[in-house]
Amino acid sequence: MATAPALKDRNRRVALYALLGALFMLGLGYASVPLYRLFCQVTGFGGTAQRVSENQAAGVEVSAAMMSVRFDGNIDRDLPWAFRPDQVTQTVRLGARSLARFTARNLSDHPITGRASFNVSPDEAGKYFNKIQCFCFTEQTLQPGQEVSMPVTYYVDPAILKDEEARAIKQITLSYTFHEDKEATAALAAKGGAKPLDRPANAR
């Protein structure tokens, strides 16, 4: 039978192991988000588009095959912006870099920083939709009433034609949703931001 001191030491070790296990699981939970994001970017899982460099894009051969690309723009319900694609669709050659534009406007009376999330549908097309330059790569700060044009340069990889699950796709939809970066917006307000407008932000 274990003595009282030995039993106390054993309980202390069990408590320590439990604490270490909890800290490990907590750290794993935080790490899983960026790891999952990286997995999606590499594989195109869930309709995640790919990010490529200018050099990578330059090495892609342009195909005679065509693809229709549709554009969709949304905002989080708590973000007082207007956001829309300048074009509804484009018909592009596979492998050819193309330029699409979106327009965003801050309808509020104070600076707001937003960040765009995005996805491609159908999901199978995600790993073949490549973005070279995009406003979604960085935060976007708009002053009160400010309207800006936001470009995205992209191409659809001709390798899609060799994929049995994706080669029948005739149209790809690129969808963006803007969300407010509340911490960045609060930081702007703390620095003084911009003075409120004397007229409604949506007035011209």
Side-chain angles (χ1 to χ4, degrees):
M1 182 175 180
T3 64
L7 186 59
K8 188 174 182 180
D9 287 342
R10 186 171 63 183
N11 290 341
R12 187 179 293 115
R13 286 197 301 271
V14 171
L16 178 61
Y17 292 150
L19 177 61
L20 291 175
L23 291 174
F24 174 77
M25 294 303 294
L26 181 63
L28 187 62
Y30 277 109
S32 65
V33 175
L35 287 175
Y36 178 76
R37 185 180 300 118
L38 178 62
F39 169 76
C40 290
Q41 290 174 346
V42 171
T43 64
F45 182 78
T48 302
Q50 309 301 292
R51 180 175 179 176
V52 297
S53 66
E54 290 281 357
N55 289 338
Q56 289 174 301
V60 177
E61 185 175 349
V62 178
S63 169
M66 309 295 286
M67 176 68 70
S68 173
V69 180
R70 190 176 75 86
F71 303 93
D72 180 46
N74 306 280
I75 55 171
D76 185 83
R77 63 181 181 179
D78 296 327
L79 179 63
W81 283 13
F83 177 63
R84 69 181 188 280
D86 291 359
Q87 61 290 298
V88 178
T89 60
Q90 289 180 338
T91 301
V92 301
R93 290 189 180 278
L94 297 182
R97 66 178 63 193
S98 301
L99 175 67
R101 291 185 180 276
F102 289 71
T103 297
R105 188 164 189 243
N106 182 355
L107 303 178
S108 77
D109 63 354
H110 60 280
I112 296 179
T113 297
R115 181 178 288 274
S117 61
F118 57 86
N119 76 295
V120 169
S121 61
D123 289 353
E124 295 80 5
K127 59 184 176 182
Y128 301 108
F129 196 98
N130 298 273
K131 291 188 288 187
I132 305 166
Q133 295 179 341
C134 182
F135 58 87
C136 60
F137 294 162
T138 59
E139 296 175 338
Q140 303 293 326
T141 299
L142 300 187
Q143 298 299 320
Q146 182 182 11
E147 182 175 291
V148 297
S149 178
M150 296 182 171
V152 53
T153 306
Y154 70 94
Y155 69 89
V156 181
D157 195 330
I160 193 172
L161 298 175
K162 300 177 182 179
D163 187 328
E164 292 185 0
E165 295 183 355
R167 64 186 179 189
I169 295 173
K170 301 301 181 184
Q171 185 177 74
I172 297 173
T173 298
L174 175 62
S175 180
Y176 290 96
T177 300
F178 255 106
H179 310 267
E180 181 180 359
D181 186 328
K182 295 185 182 298
E183 290 186 2
T185 298
L188 286 173
K191 292 179 180 179
K195 295 181 180 179
L197 297 178
D198 294 330
R199 57 185 174 80
N202 58 356
R204 291 190 178 275

